[in-house]
Amino acid sequence: MFKTVEWKKTGVVMIDQRLLPDKVVYRTYKDYKGVANGIKDMVVRGAPAIGVAAAMGLALGASRIKAKNLKAFKREFQRISNHMKKTRPTAVNLFWAVERMNRLMDESGDLTVEELKDRLVEEALRIHDEDIEINRRMGRFGSRLLKHGSTVLTHCNAGALATAGYGTALGVVRSAVEEGKKIKVFADETRPFLQGSRLTAWELKEDKIDVTLITDNMSGYMMKKGLIDAVVVGADRIAANGDVANKIGTYSVALLAKAHRIPFYVAAPTSTVDLNIKTGDDIPIEERSSDEVTHLRGKRIAPRGVKVKNPAFDITPAWLVTAIITEKGIIRAPYSWGLKRLFVGKV
Ligand code: MRU
């Protein structure tokens, strides 16, 4: 099995997701700026994977800080954290991971600079390992929602490539398959970056899970034909009222699912829940380069100079979401109540 993000003696190693499925290339980043660029340029992507990469980037940055006293070290670490936070705006896992690393600094007591550097590496590794464990737990909860013989539609890539391993939405599928259920997956291509065709189809095929690729405009037809039993997607940020930010096109899939009375599930760890954001309207939506729309793998497919819009995410309102699958359990409406309880440990 491939490794999405890994901490090695040589640096932070990431599989270059821009080149998949044609080439499997691992890149080694030796400084935090490289990791930050890797996040920005989509070498690594997917909310939880971005969080893990950011934490490792901070640990790497910290290990190279020259400051001898704690005050100067913390000042420099703050600067590195701010740099990391500017990479991508929508996935809250990035900010969650940066905050978690900074909390460690605040609680460092009388540690020396060198001890603190070691602690930061340990914390980044813990975030990585916990993510896989959380996905497995989420998978076990989510699998209860999938019957033997079901076909699941998914959008974008919420798999092992989008996390430290196993996946959120695809973790639910993996878990059901491991329990012996026969599950088929329909993967939306996910224009413009093609996370569905390049990444979801690739990792499911690698795992020998039954996957059928469709273009984004085919899902309504497939639902009408009775070929889809459930939709399972990931999330980049979930607001306090249950509104879900996820890859552009998710909202359309959710509306289609509602119209066809097909359950629409969101699988996401609690680190994706942002109780500071009241509704989806307040979630920042990343606008990416127009080249992603006008070009396909470097080849122009639109007239030169045409006006382009390229929002990378959209908001699915809570009323379209049948349930949110987390590592602490399955939450149903009213979400504002259920999501709050997640953080006091009662689900
Ligand atoms: O732009 P991306 O590829 O980072 O967007 C990824 C998604 O929208 C995923 O569905 C989401 O991060 C969940 S990943 C477990």
Side-chain angles (χ1 to χ4, degrees):
M1 189 71 174
F2 58 85
K3 294 256 171 61
T4 309
V5 196
E6 213 184 347
W7 177 269
K8 284 196 174 171
K9 279 209 171 68
T10 45
V12 177
V13 181
M14 306 196 269
I15 190 167
D16 191 339
Q17 303 198 26
R18 300 166 307 178
L19 305 178
L20 289 169
D22 310 344
K23 290 187 197 134
V24 180
V25 174
Y26 287 89
R27 299 199 186 278
T28 303
Y29 295 94
K30 294 181 187 299
D31 59 39
Y32 77 89
K33 283 193 178 153
V35 175
N37 285 337
I39 295 173
K40 211 181 172 114
D41 299 343
M42 312 273 276
V43 171
V44 66
R45 33 65 51 201
I50 291 172
V52 172
M56 288 189 180
L58 292 190
L60 189 61
S63 70
R64 308 278 151 93
I65 296 176
K66 296 265 185 333
K68 288 275 176 291
N69 69 67
L70 215 50
K71 201 169 166 219
F73 178 80
K74 285 186 177 178
R75 206 182 314 118
E76 188 57 12
F77 191 74
Q78 191 60 54
R79 209 184 49 74
I80 296 173
S81 299
N82 290 339
H83 183 89
M84 203 58 79
K85 285 199 279 189
K86 289 199 186 101
T87 51
R88 294 193 72 190
T90 306
V92 75
N93 305 61
L94 166 71
F95 307 96
W96 171 87
V98 172
E99 255 166 51
R100 184 162 154 177
M101 296 292 277
N102 274 274
R103 211 174 313 131
L104 193 94
M105 301 278 289
D106 299 340
E107 293 161 2
S108 58
D110 50 11
L111 292 182
T112 65
V113 166
E114 288 313 308
E115 283 167 338
L116 202 44
K117 287 180 181 178
D118 291 343
R119 287 283 181 92
L120 287 164
V121 175
E122 282 165 22
E123 189 70 355
L125 292 177
R126 204 170 297 129
I127 290 175
H128 174 277
D129 295 351
E130 278 175 16
D131 187 55
I132 300 176
E133 186 44 43
I134 281 169
N135 291 336
R136 288 195 176 272
R137 244 181 286 152
M138 206 184 317
R140 285 194 287 274
F141 281 120
S143 136
R144 294 180 192 167
L145 301 169
L146 302 182
K147 290 199 192 87
H148 177 69
S150 332
T151 300
V152 171
L153 173 76
T154 192
H155 190 74
C156 192
N157 173 266
L161 285 165
T163 59
Y166 205 66
T168 57
L170 297 190
V172 170
V173 169
R174 284 195 167 95
S175 204
V177 170
E178 282 167 18
E179 285 166 19
K181 291 181 192 166
K182 197 171 156 250
I183 305 287
K184 288 185 182 173
V185 177
F186 271 56
D188 272 352
E189 171 187 49
T190 318
R191 275 276 291 153
F193 209 70
L194 308 178
Q195 288 96 330
S197 58
R198 295 189 305 101
L199 309 177
T200 296
W202 180 73
E203 68 163 86
L204 290 180
K205 268 195 106 249
E206 289 284 297
D207 250 10
K208 303 203 168 30
I209 293 174
D210 188 331
V211 59
T212 303
L213 175 65
I214 58 172
T215 62
D216 299 325
N217 47 1
M218 293 176 188
S219 50
Y221 176 75
M222 299 301 165
M223 289 183 190
K224 182 89 186 337
K225 295 278 266 179
L227 296 174
I228 310 287
D229 300 300
V231 178
V232 187
V233 296
D236 288 86
R237 199 186 290 230
I238 300 175
N241 72 341
D243 289 353
V244 174
N246 192 47
K247 181 53 54 194
I248 191 77
T250 304
Y251 172 48
S252 318
V253 176
L255 278 171
L256 283 169
K258 190 68 161 185
H260 293 89
R261 296 173 197 278
I262 295 168
F264 179 91
Y265 300 121
V266 175
T270 45
S271 52
T272 302
V273 178
D274 186 355
L275 293 184
N276 296 319
I277 294 263
K278 280 204 185 82
T279 76
D281 293 341
D282 300 325
I283 298 177
I285 300 293
E286 178 182 11
E287 179 85 26
R288 291 191 61 86
S289 158
S290 60
D291 290 357
E292 290 180 359
V293 177
T294 55
H295 290 69
L296 206 53
R297 307 227 106 178
K299 193 180 176 329
R300 174 175 286 282
I301 52 163
R304 228 170 263 281
V306 69
K307 283 194 279 184
V308 171
K309 283 260 182 223
N310 187 16
F313 302 94
D314 62 23
I315 305 294
T316 298
W319 66 273
L320 291 174
V321 178
T322 311
I324 299 175
I325 305 157
T326 75
E327 76 276 21
K328 295 191 180 174
I330 296 170
I331 297 168
R332 293 180 191 264
Y335 291 109
S336 38
W337 185 74
L339 291 172
K340 219 185 276 163
R341 274 167 67 96
L342 270 183
F343 293 89
V344 287
K346 294 176 198 147
V347 178

